[in-house]
Amino acid sequence: ITGPKTDVWLVKTVAVLLVVISLCMILYVKTGGSELPVMVQGGITAIGLMVIDFYYVSKDVISPIYAWDGVIQAIFFLLWGIIFIRWLKDIY
């Protein structure tokens, strides 16, 4: 869909980081830890990936298909916001 990759190191680096973030979220949920760090990590990750997607699509560095990922990341950010608001209501 996105064509050949010329910066393979970047693709692998991002993949590793996303796997680590996902594992951290899963472990936090499974161990019964505080939800706040997971919400912050999830929200900031979604915003960061969204900004990267939209910025590099707008600069014509990456394929326009990545704008769809930016939209998905925006949805993730909104969902994390909803989860955070519900969490605040539960503790206060």
Side-chain angles (χ1 to χ4, degrees):
I1 290 177
T2 61
K5 306 294 180 252
T6 56
D7 294 326
V8 177
W9 67 270
L10 181 59
V11 173
K12 290 179 180 180
T13 302
V14 171
V16 167
L17 293 173
L18 292 174
V19 167
V20 170
I21 290 167
S22 299
L23 289 175
C24 287
M25 290 179 176
I26 291 167
L27 286 173
Y28 235 95
V29 170
K30 292 292 184 185
T31 60
S34 171
E35 297 91 355
L36 183 59
V38 175
M39 291 182 279
V40 170
Q41 182 185 41
I44 292 172
T45 299
I47 279 286
L49 293 173
M50 181 190 72
V51 168
I52 289 168
D53 287 333
F54 289 144
Y55 177 79
Y56 285 109
V57 166
S58 74
K59 296 293 182 183
D60 223 14
V61 173
I62 58 176
S63 169
I65 194 78
Y66 283 99
W68 283 107
D69 182 62
V71 171
I72 292 167
Q73 295 303 328
I75 292 168
F76 283 151
F77 179 72
L78 291 173
L79 291 173
W80 279 116
I82 291 168
I83 291 168
F84 179 70
I85 290 168
R86 288 182 179 171
W87 180 77
L88 281 177
K89 287 180 181 178
D90 286 345
I91 63 169
Y92 292 112

